[in-house]
Every structure is written in structure tokens, then in C-alpha cells.
Amino acid sequence: MCTFRNSPSISVTFNYLIMKHCIAIALTAAIVLTGYRHDPQQIVPVEFPEPPVEILTNYFNFIRLPEGSYRMYFSGYTQRECGPDRDKQDPYYAESEDGTYYDFKGKKEETTVERIWDNDYSAFPSIVRYRGAYYVSFREGVSHIFDENGIAAGKTRILRSADCKHWKSVALLSKEGYDLRDPKLSVTADGRLMVIQGGSVYVDKQLVDRVPQVSFSSDGRTFSDPAPVVYENQDRPAWCWRVTWHDGTGYAVSYGDVEDNALDLFKTTDGI
């Protein structure tokens, strides 16, 4: 069981920045800024200028480069309507000196894309290096949410590779009554591989609850069953996104009702 402590003084609200689902960029930005600026009280919106071409963007990921600057990767597509062409997405990136204002750079031309797994519907990946190997996690299901019987029962698949070319499945996590989503990997302060997952509960195709789940592995091969995350000082449904560890503390951003754009910053010292 994972306990995250919330400080009401750092509960924040963001406006949508680029698009309908741009809450993702704010979530990740908050972790980047708190993780490296040593000041969890200072969370600010990311400034992202209009790109030179009209694209819709989503699925952001941030890294801090060795020289101290930041790079943001994201996927983009030119279709205004979601449909079959939405799958035809290209990788883009932007860079920032301070982690707040990003300069759009365009396509990452040298990027190559190869399929590493093919089983029904796979989405929302995460990757981390752990004990000399690479691990990828993602949701595995039949569709974005429901199967042919109207049941939402997504599972978390975890792959392992020594060279990023040859991949082998080491885990398939599931939990009765839950749709496991957006599994994100991290390495805890005590050296365990951790995967935090959204746990959506549906009744008659209606979302009625969110109960994030967490699993751990000490060897990268055997994972504990998903167990619910416990929030202190939090009484509304929450979705806990990826955890970023810094100086022995894990930081995570969570949101409840998307309509009010409310975010909460949590921290944990041991992930238990």
C-alpha cells in the first residue's frame, strides 16, 4: 500500500494550455520543476508557443539534459477530428533553458519507430532503465476502454530488454473490477522497480471511481499484485500520474475532476 502526503498549500489549478488534453503537460511539468529546483512550493504553468504548423499534440514526456536544460518530447498529428488518421502521429520535441518556456523545434527526424509488442490494443507506454536492463510498461486491452462485452478491464504489460531491440514479457498485471491504465515506471529510493497505474471503475459503461494502484519488484522479474494507493488529506477520486524520485522523495501529481482542472502534488519517502 502506497501512502502519499498532500500539502494543501501546494494544491494548484492549471488552465488548458494547448489542447483539450493538455493537462498532461502541466502534470509532468510540475514534477520536473519540483524535482530539480528543490522548491515544491513553486509550480508554474509551462509556456509553449504556437508551433509553425497546425498540429494537435499529446502524450508529453520531459527529460533533463546533462548540461541542465530541458527537452520535451510529444506526439503530434494534423487532423482536427479524432479518427483513423489519429494513429498517424509523428514525434516532435521542444527545448527549454529553465523548464518553463519551451522553444518548438519540430520533428525529431533521426527518430526511428519499431514495434516491440503486438497483442490487441497497447497504449500509454513508460520506459525506465533498471539494473542494467530496460523496462517498458503499457496498458493492454481490446480498445481504448471497453471490450466487446462493454467491460473495461485493461491490464498492465511489462517488457524487459538488455539492448532495446529484443523484448520479453516479464509481467501481466490485472485486478478484478478495475481498468488499469497509464502504468508508469520509476525506481524507488530503496532500489525497487515501481509501477503506478490508474485504476478506473466502471458500472454500465459509466466511470464511477478512480483508485490508483501500485506494484513493486525487487528483481525486475517478479511483481507484487496491484494494491491501492492511499491518499492522506484527500477525499475526492484521484488519478496519480508518474512518480519522480529526487533526494529520497517521490513526487507525483494527481487530478480528480477534469472539469475544474484541479491538481494536487503529493510526496512519499518509501512508496509503501
Side-chain angles (χ1 to χ4, degrees):
M1 191 168 292
C2 185
T3 302
F4 285 83
R5 293 174 173 81
N6 176 28
S7 171
S9 63
I10 53 177
S11 179
V12 294
T13 299
F14 284 85
N15 294 320
Y16 288 162
L17 302 178
I18 307 173
M19 50 143 196
K20 182 178 179 180
H21 296 100
C22 201
I23 192 171
I25 190 173
L27 293 173
T28 312
I31 292 178
V32 169
L33 295 176
T34 57
Y36 291 106
R37 289 190 174 183
H38 314 285
D39 188 355
Q41 302 296 326
Q42 300 299 318
I43 304 178
V44 297
V46 166
E47 296 183 34
F48 189 76
E50 287 291 333
V53 294
E54 184 179 7
I55 59 172
L56 293 179
T57 55
N58 59 5
Y59 300 115
F60 300 86
N61 201 1
F62 293 75
I63 61 172
R64 191 176 191 232
L65 301 176
E67 64 271 20
S69 61
Y70 299 85
R71 181 171 292 176
M72 171 174 60
Y73 291 96
F74 53 93
S75 59
Y77 52 100
T78 57
Q79 296 293 91
R80 275 297 180 187
E81 298 296 330
C82 294
D85 290 336
R86 185 179 178 183
D87 292 332
K88 300 176 182 178
Q89 301 187 32
D90 293 308
Y92 293 85
Y93 76 108
E95 293 183 343
S96 171
E97 292 298 323
D98 61 4
T100 301
Y101 182 85
Y102 282 81
D103 182 20
F104 181 84
K105 296 295 185 180
K107 289 185 180 180
K108 193 67 176 174
E109 297 292 352
E110 67 269 25
T111 301
T112 60
V113 179
E114 297 180 8
R115 180 175 296 177
I116 63 173
W117 192 255
D118 188 9
N119 187 9
D120 294 327
Y121 182 92
S122 301
F124 321 125
S126 171
I127 187 170
V128 73
R129 184 173 173 83
Y130 178 68
R131 294 193 175 186
Y134 297 92
Y135 289 82
V136 167
S137 63
F138 52 89
R139 177 185 182 272
E140 188 172 292
V142 176
S143 71
H144 183 70
I145 301 179
F146 303 107
D147 62 16
E148 59 275 9
N149 297 315
I151 304 299
K155 302 177 181 180
T156 293
R157 175 77 68 176
I158 301 176
L159 307 181
R160 180 184 185 275
S161 174
D163 57 8
C164 284
K165 295 181 180 179
H166 305 91
W167 296 87
K168 181 179 180 180
S169 176
V170 294
L172 181 61
L173 307 176
S174 63
K175 189 166 187 176
E176 184 71 24
Y178 288 86
D179 179 26
L180 300 182
R181 310 184 63 82
D182 295 277
K184 304 305 179 188
L185 295 165
S186 66
V187 180
T188 64
D190 60 3
R192 292 174 298 160
L193 187 58
M194 171 179 172
V195 54
I196 194 162
Q197 309 142 86
S200 298
V201 180
Y202 287 87
V203 175
D204 296 328
K205 289 190 172 183
Q206 297 297 315
L207 179 64
V208 297
D209 200 2
R210 295 190 184 102
V211 185
Q213 307 287 316
V214 64
S215 300
F216 298 94
S217 175
S218 297
D219 58 7
R221 298 180 183 275
T222 303
F223 288 80
S224 61
D225 293 333
V229 167
V230 176
Y231 293 90
E232 294 184 0
N233 305 321
Q234 184 82 353
D235 57 2
R236 62 185 172 87
W239 190 311
C240 191
W241 287 80
R242 73 174 72 242
V243 178
T244 297
W245 294 85
H246 178 69
D247 283 348
T249 299
Y251 295 91
V253 174
S254 177
Y255 73 87
D257 296 326
V258 178
E259 289 75 12
D260 62 12
N261 299 345
L263 304 178
D264 293 288
L265 178 64
F266 293 84
K267 65 179 180 179
T268 180
T269 56
D270 57 13
I272 298 176

